[in-house]
Amino acid sequence: MSEIDAIRTAILDGVTGDDIGALPLPEAVRGALVKTEEQEMFAGLPSEEKDPRKSVHVEDFPLPELAPDEAYVAVMASAINFNTVWTSIFEPLSTFGFLQRLGRESVWGKRHDQPYHVMGSDASGVVLRVGSAVRNWKPGDRVTVHCLHVDDQDPSAHDDSMMAANQRIWGFESNFGGLADVAVVKANQLMPKPAHLTWEEAAVNALCNSTSYRMIVSPNGAQMTQGQAVLIWGATGGIGAYAVQYVRNGGGIPVGVVSSEKRAALLREMGCEHVIDRRAEGYKFWKDDGTQDPKEWLRLGKKIRELIGRDVDIVFEHPGRQTMGASVFVAKRGGLVITCAATSGYMIEYDNRYLWMNLKTLKGCHFANYREAWEANRLIAEGRVHPTLSKVYPLVDTGEAAYQVHHNLAEGKIGVLCLAPEEGLGVTDEALRAQHLDQITLFRRH
Ligand code: NDP
């Protein structure tokens, strides 16, 4: 039996602690990766034609040496994020530039600068080894991994670890990410695996859930209060579906935007009463590539007033170029537009008069600091926020899974099985699972 099969079998058999730590490590493991030699392969093509199924390879790569503050994690399951899409279509930049910059930072950083980039910014699994400086984790621990890759040597990180000058997203701006059989993580990325979830349900949350937590709940984001109304673009998507849960949990009023009747029905099942089907309404915020149509912003604003009787306090913004003009317009006087992305284009245009004359705020937000990621994981672990897993692919089909996200073909999150041989494994708290089964499996059933 190969080393990796022995590791998989031991985990499935419930082997723990030192017995896991004693298992020999493989020299090379499978990972979903892109290659430097192919980074120009889509040059000149429109974004929609750049196909992750052509650029993503699932191949063995050598396991790098472990730094003192790191851990090897046997990855049972991982997830697709939009950053997996960006890496695999080399947009807006090839991520090899990020790896080269990290490579210049330190001796340990140099390991990341390879002619391949192992992607993936989410994982659930089991700790195999820890470096000599790791205190709080040991082999055999069942974990989920958040993607904040930063060290605490930078004083600017001490209030908010997202503020560190060397803050990176693991598996996007660093190598050896979660879409692999073994991942290399900083120990401070580790969090306890929610016991009531399967490996794949536990793997899909950390990146999107923590981002939405910071955007909606945290003082670093909107810090929404009771009764505030929040317009959520892509409300059944990766980050949107967690945002809906946070708004509801915090006593807010979500107004969810989606693009099909199927998604509208799913959103209502999530308890989001106010739903806008942007396709059915036929909004056309841009007349052509260079000209927006303020009448269409007004039409959206009227629709919101019809639904909730007033304007929204907060807009949860991420589509970017296509929607930002409308987002700035529909936020109430004194309201907040909080943005973490620009899926449809990052050269944004909005009418600044609506911002300043109405005393609105436009605020940038990015992932989550350690405390926020930990809090967001705690809420998942207690069954107060639920995974939004809708589809599962094996690691070998990572390219197809990324294609699905790129083309807006899936709701919620897509999970990827790495060492887990099938779905449904890894649950150790059946009672908590039974209590929330309907919500945990909602996206999978749709
Ligand atoms: P998903 O693809 O899962 O969901 C995005 C949703 O946005 C879709 O479901 C779609 O919903 C909606 N959408 C897409 N295009 C448009 C458009 N032109 N106008 C209006 N709505 C649109 O992606 P994620 O939610 O995971 O990520 C969204 C963005 O946020 C990505 O760009 C990602 O890179 C970024 N992101 C940033 C993070 C950060 O830390 N800064 C963290 C996580 C994500 P529908 O068609 O139903 O309306």
Side-chain angles (χ1 to χ4, degrees):
M1 194 190 288
S2 70
E3 286 99 344
I4 201 70
D5 283 337
I7 289 169
R8 183 204 320 261
T9 305
I11 293 170
L12 295 175
D13 289 349
V15 175
T16 55
D18 290 343
D19 292 337
I20 287 280
L23 293 169
L25 293 172
E27 280 180 15
V29 293
R30 281 186 321 161
L33 51 85
V34 292
K35 302 179 178 184
T36 19
E37 71 212 41
E38 292 182 348
Q39 59 187 325
E40 296 300 329
M41 69 191 290
F42 300 134
L45 287 179
S47 187
E48 335 52 276
E49 287 174 29
K50 298 178 181 176
D51 190 340
R53 294 170 300 190
K54 295 184 179 149
S55 56
V56 176
H57 307 272
V58 176
E59 289 179 7
D60 280 4
F61 65 96
L63 208 53
E65 197 185 339
L66 201 62
D69 63 344
E70 290 178 343
Y72 290 132
V73 174
V75 182
M76 298 305 280
S78 182
I80 303 297
N81 285 294
F82 220 97
N83 70 10
T84 317
V85 175
W86 299 130
T87 301
S88 63
I89 62 173
F90 310 104
E91 259 192 35
L93 299 164
S94 158
T95 47
F96 286 100
F98 302 146
L99 304 186
Q100 284 153 11
R101 195 173 319 146
L102 175 52
R104 290 192 292 271
E105 199 170 82
S106 69
V107 173
W108 292 111
K110 185 109 192 71
R111 295 168 303 162
H112 293 259
D113 183 8
Q114 299 292 341
Y116 52 83
H117 185 181
V118 183
M119 310 179 293
S121 301
D122 269 318
S124 69
V126 174
V127 174
L128 289 176
R129 296 277 196 285
V130 295
S132 56
V134 175
R135 286 186 294 119
N136 291 339
W137 301 95
K138 56 184 189 324
D141 287 343
R142 294 156 69 97
V143 293
T144 55
V145 180
H146 72 69
C147 62
L148 178 53
H149 183 283
V150 70
D151 61 49
D152 59 5
Q153 296 171 37
D154 179 354
S156 56
H158 291 178
D159 274 347
D160 176 3
S161 43
M162 282 305 292
M163 288 297 178
N166 71 349
Q167 178 273 321
R168 290 186 167 86
I169 299 298
W170 165 69
F172 177 60
E173 293 162 290
S174 75
N175 215 329
F176 317 121
L179 287 160
D181 286 341
V182 177
V184 180
V185 307
K186 285 186 177 286
N188 53 23
Q189 290 176 248
L190 297 173
M191 307 185 292
K193 174 191 170 289
H196 66 303
L197 300 181
T198 64
W199 293 114
E200 60 281 3
E201 290 161 357
V204 298
N205 307 300
L207 187 146
C208 284
N209 179 44
S210 313
T211 303
S212 298
Y213 177 92
R214 181 171 172 118
M215 286 179 81
I216 299 288
V217 182
S218 170
N220 294 314
Q223 201 172 13
M224 187 205 76
T225 54
Q226 293 184 33
Q228 287 196 310
V230 186
L231 183 75
I232 302 171
W233 292 105
T236 58
I239 49 176
Y242 292 103
V244 169
Q245 297 185 63
Y246 282 115
V247 172
R248 291 191 70 240
N249 286 359
I253 305 154
V255 180
V257 186
V258 288
S259 64
S260 70
E261 188 40 53
K262 180 186 176 209
R263 290 181 180 181
L266 175 58
L267 198 48
R268 287 195 187 94
E269 270 199 70
M270 291 179 77
C272 180
E273 200 185 319
H274 307 295
V275 177
I276 299 175
D277 180 340
R278 67 182 170 100
R279 198 151 293 168
E281 297 286 340
Y283 295 119
K284 212 160 173 284
F285 300 130
W286 289 81
K287 288 183 198 164
D288 55 53
D289 198 31
T291 326
Q292 297 207 55
D293 186 351
K295 287 207 186 90
E296 288 292 275
W297 305 343
L298 192 63
R299 198 155 72 82
L300 174 67
K302 277 191 179 152
K303 178 77 189 174
I304 294 169
R305 285 183 183 178
E306 255 171 58
L307 289 173
I308 60 166
R310 60 183 176 87
D311 296 332
V312 288
D313 301 88
I314 299 164
V315 180
F316 182 87
E317 168 61 48
H318 53 92
R321 184 168 169 82
Q322 285 297 326
T323 54
M324 185 62 93
S327 294
V328 168
F329 180 82
V330 300
K332 75 165 193 190
R333 189 173 176 86
L336 172 70
V337 177
I338 185 147
T339 176
C340 72
T343 317
S344 64
Y346 53 82
M347 293 306 277
I348 300 293
E349 196 179 284
Y350 62 87
D351 187 333
N352 203 28
R353 290 171 298 178
Y354 291 110
L355 193 87
W356 97 71
M357 296 292 285
N358 296 295
L359 302 108
K360 304 181 189 187
T361 304
L362 175 58
K363 184 170 185 174
C365 206
H366 188 35
F367 186 60
N369 64 32
Y370 291 147
R371 192 196 57 75
E372 291 159 348
W374 192 273
E375 277 300 289
N377 188 57
R378 179 181 64 79
L379 293 165
I380 296 269
E382 291 179 359
R384 297 177 200 284
V385 174
H386 304 289
T388 60
L389 178 76
S390 67
K391 291 185 183 181
V392 179
Y393 287 85
L395 182 63
V396 287
D397 291 337
T398 299
E400 172 62 33
Y403 177 88
Q404 294 274 320
V405 174
H406 186 204
H407 290 273
N408 195 8
L409 297 174
E411 287 75 45
K413 297 293 305 173
I414 294 185
V416 175
L417 297 181
C418 299
L419 288 175
E422 62 195 40
E423 291 177 52
L425 305 174
V427 176
T428 50
D429 186 343
E430 293 288 358
L432 186 60
R433 182 174 185 79
Q435 215 179 315
H436 299 291
L437 195 60
D438 273 1
Q439 290 123 304
I440 296 169
T441 55
L442 178 61
F443 277 63
R444 198 82 178 98
R445 294 198 310 273
H446 250 264

